[in-house]
Amino acid sequence: ADQILIRLADLYYYRDKDRFLASMDAFDEALTRKEAGVADSVPAEPAPDFSQSVALYVRLIRDFPESELLDDAMYSQAFLLEEMDRHEEANALYHQLIRQHPESSFVPEAYMRLAEYYFNPPRNELARAITLYQNVLRFRRSDRYEEALYKLGWSHYRLSQYPEAISTFTDLVEHAAASPGGGSDAGGLRDEAVEYIALSFMDFGGPVKAREYLDQIGKPAWGRDVLMKLAGIYMDEKEEYENAIATY
């Protein structure tokens, strides 16, 4: 019966998600018509409603306390509450999942959802986000590992904690290089990490400090990419040609 409940909840979610997307398409079309002057009014912007799925997850948790699907139901309920902008309820459930099911595969996802909540506007509570991203990194096999490294480095960068940012972005580049196929996002997060290492050295010692650091960690092959990026920033954006020459 618990499997039926969770399957039905998932199906309700897919149905209601499709309905919401269709209503958003209709809203966007009405807005376009209003802006073009061919319509007098626009209906209220639709909001997602996954209450039927949420009710089934609540029922599963209440009626089947020994179910192996409890962590799935708890995470899914929290995720849908978050989708409906009920963040306080969602966050409480994420924390409950982490406490009650510490071995669940949903735990790194829960930490990541919480970290994103505090990282993004309007919260911008980066110190709290840093702690939560660090918890994601305890799960090295998680699909969220590289993303958590990137967002951790970005959090340090936003706080002007440049040594920590450089170290974290270095971990990301090295992890991507060591991963099969060069990392799950070798062309994306890896390149952005290289750029942020360069940007960090803009405010932390410039080309001299950058070269010292790269020498200290064994002159990695990707170090050339950092120096090229740093030189490009000096030349094209800052127009600090002496620093560009020194970096090249």
Side-chain angles (χ1 to χ4, degrees):
D2 56 344
Q3 294 181 355
I4 294 174
L5 284 177
I6 205 161
R7 184 76 64 182
L8 186 57
D10 292 345
L11 290 171
Y12 279 147
Y13 166 70
Y14 296 136
R15 181 202 65 186
D16 293 337
K17 184 73 169 180
D18 286 343
R19 288 178 176 176
F20 171 66
L21 294 175
S23 63
M24 279 301 300
D25 288 341
F27 173 79
D28 290 340
E29 183 178 347
L31 189 61
T32 300
R33 289 171 59 82
K34 176 70 164 55
E35 292 173 348
V38 296
D40 295 329
S41 62
V42 176
E45 183 173 351
D49 180 7
F50 304 118
S51 54
Q52 283 188 286
S53 293
V54 168
L56 288 174
Y57 293 130
V58 170
R59 180 179 166 189
L60 189 154
I61 294 168
R62 182 192 65 218
D63 295 347
F64 299 92
E66 304 301 322
S67 172
E68 294 181 354
L69 299 173
L70 278 182
D71 58 338
D72 189 342
M74 198 173 292
Y75 175 82
S76 298
Q77 181 189 350
F79 177 81
L80 295 189
L81 290 170
E82 186 180 354
E83 288 282 281
M84 293 189 289
D85 287 331
R86 293 163 60 178
H87 292 284
E88 295 302 323
E89 295 171 78
N91 290 349
L93 272 171
Y94 287 136
H95 282 295
Q96 183 180 347
L97 168 64
I98 291 166
R99 289 193 309 271
Q100 295 182 358
H101 305 278
E103 303 303 319
S104 169
S105 61
F106 291 99
V107 166
E109 289 288 334
Y111 275 126
M112 193 72 184
R113 302 300 300 185
L114 289 165
E116 295 288 82
Y117 173 73
Y118 290 109
F119 176 88
N120 291 319
R123 303 295 298 198
N124 293 313
E125 297 181 34
L126 297 178
R128 295 186 71 173
I130 283 172
T131 298
L132 291 160
Y133 287 130
Q134 288 171 335
N135 278 316
V136 180
L137 298 182
R138 291 163 38 207
F139 304 87
R140 292 187 63 88
R141 295 185 179 182
S142 169
D143 291 339
R144 294 288 208 160
Y145 186 84
E146 287 185 8
E147 184 182 359
L149 263 179
Y150 174 74
K151 298 301 280 289
L152 176 61
W154 194 3
S155 298
H156 284 305
Y157 179 82
R158 287 175 61 187
L159 289 171
S160 301
Q161 297 172 347
Y162 299 118
E164 293 87 349
I166 291 165
S167 176
T168 304
F169 286 124
T170 296
D171 287 345
L172 174 54
V173 175
E174 294 285 3
H175 183 270
S179 299
S184 61
D185 193 14
L189 295 183
R190 182 268 185 199
D191 290 346
E192 291 192 36
V194 166
E195 181 174 3
Y196 272 106
I197 292 171
L199 288 168
S200 296
F201 278 116
M202 290 284 298
D203 295 295
F204 186 66
V208 173
K209 196 76 171 181
R211 287 183 179 276
E212 287 178 356
Y213 175 73
L214 294 169
D215 287 345
Q216 181 183 4
I217 64 172
K219 299 181 178 180
W222 53 265
R224 181 178 182 276
D225 297 335
V226 171
L227 294 175
M228 291 294 290
K229 178 64 70 174
L230 182 59
I233 295 169
Y234 278 129
M235 184 171 69
D236 299 328
E237 299 180 23
K238 298 295 185 179
E239 297 184 353
E240 297 180 11
Y241 301 117
E242 290 297 326
N243 277 328
I245 292 170
T247 308
Y248 280 126

